[in-house]
Every structure is written in C-alpha cells, then in structure tokens.
Amino acid sequence: MASKQDKISELSLELGLAMSEMKSRLRQRIQACVNEYDPDLSVELVEILGLLSRNDGINQQEIANKVSKDKSSITYLINSLVKRELVERVAYKNDRRNKQIFLTLQGKEVVKTIYPWALELYKKAAGDLHEDEINNALLLVKKMTANLE
C-alpha cells in the first residue's frame, strides 16, 4: 500500500506533467497566431517582449531568471531582438558592463498587437474557472517551486 508521501509525490508528478502539457499547448497556439503576424518571431522572443512590456529596463540576468533560460540563450535572443530593432541595450551609468534592456517604439507596437492574442488564449484556457481557483493554483505552484530552491 502506498504511503501518504508516495501519493503526494505521484500527485505532484501528475501536476507537473499537466502544467507542462498546458504550457506546450499554449506555446503552440501562440506560435500559430504569431506566425500569421510575423513568421520570423518565435514564442521565446514574444515572451521576452511581453516581459519587457511589464518590466522595461531590467537586465539580461533578470530576464534569464524570469523566463527560466540560461544567460547565453538570453544573449542570443536579445541580440536577435536588437537586430530587429525591437529592443535596445542601455548601459547603467555606474557600471557600463551591465546593460538594461528596453523596448523600442517598434517593440512596443509588436507587443500592442500580439499581447491581446496571448491574453485571449489564456482566457480560453481559464474557461469557467473563478479568480480564487486561479489564485489558489498560482500560490500552490509558487510554493512548490520555492520548495525546490
């Protein structure tokens, strides 16, 4: 007979797999919408643009931490966004080696176009869930993530 801890472990595993499946489906749907707008724009680039729309001026390490990617991957993605003139790097006044990343006007326009599509997909995913249910799920996932720190 499985112990209570084994059952919690199994349920945690199922939750992790379900979250991964949801993320995968959302990414596929978002990419399909983005492809109609600009086939050269990936979900990863859109994710960074969306993050910057909420936290303009953060540095590459903060971006890497928030999107759970290593710094070298983020450097590559940001270089791509800079080339496309969607973001710009600005050196900190007291540390020229450290750069803040800002959306350009063109980047803000892309976000203004794409962000509503993403929100609509998340709304569809939420379906008839109540705000309290989503808040409880969010707290649960954050607590589980903190347990791994």
Side-chain angles (χ1 to χ4, degrees), residues 15 19 132-143:
L15 177 61
M19 289 186 312
D132 288 344
E133 292 175 296
I134 295 171
N135 278 326
N136 288 337
L138 181 59
L139 289 172
L140 173 74
V141 171
K142 285 184 176 185
K143 186 174 182 179

Side-chain angles (χ1 to χ4, degrees), residues 45-104:
L45 296 175
V46 169
E47 186 175 29
I48 292 171
L49 292 172
L51 175 63
L52 289 171
S53 74
R54 296 182 305 278
N55 303 282
D56 213 15
I58 61 177
N59 67 35
Q60 286 184 206
Q61 187 59 56
E62 291 171 298
I63 293 171
N65 293 344
K66 295 215 183 252
V67 298
S68 300
K69 292 199 180 296
D70 60 84
K71 197 170 177 182
S72 62
S73 296
I74 292 301
T75 299
Y76 174 80
L77 292 168
I78 290 174
N79 286 344
S80 176
L81 290 168
V82 167
K83 248 184 245 177
R84 297 174 64 125
E85 299 180 354
L86 299 176
V87 302
E88 62 183 342
R89 288 183 173 99
V90 177
Y92 282 94
K93 290 177 184 166
N94 56 349
D95 182 359
R96 312 259 335 140
R97 294 169 298 165
N98 203 353
K99 307 275 195 271
Q100 292 175 281
I101 312 301
F102 290 93
L103 287 172
T104 61

Side-chain angles (χ1 to χ4, degrees), residues 36-49:
E36 291 179 27
Y37 174 76
D38 182 345
D40 294 327
L41 204 56
S42 69
V43 171
E44 288 83 6
L45 296 175
V46 169
E47 186 175 29
I48 292 171
L49 292 172

Side-chain angles (χ1 to χ4, degrees), residues 14-29:
E14 281 190 52
L15 177 61
L17 293 172
M19 289 186 312
S20 181
E21 175 68 17
M22 183 186 73
K23 182 177 180 178
S24 177
R25 287 182 188 212
L26 279 166
R27 289 174 62 86
Q28 289 171 351
R29 291 269 184 82

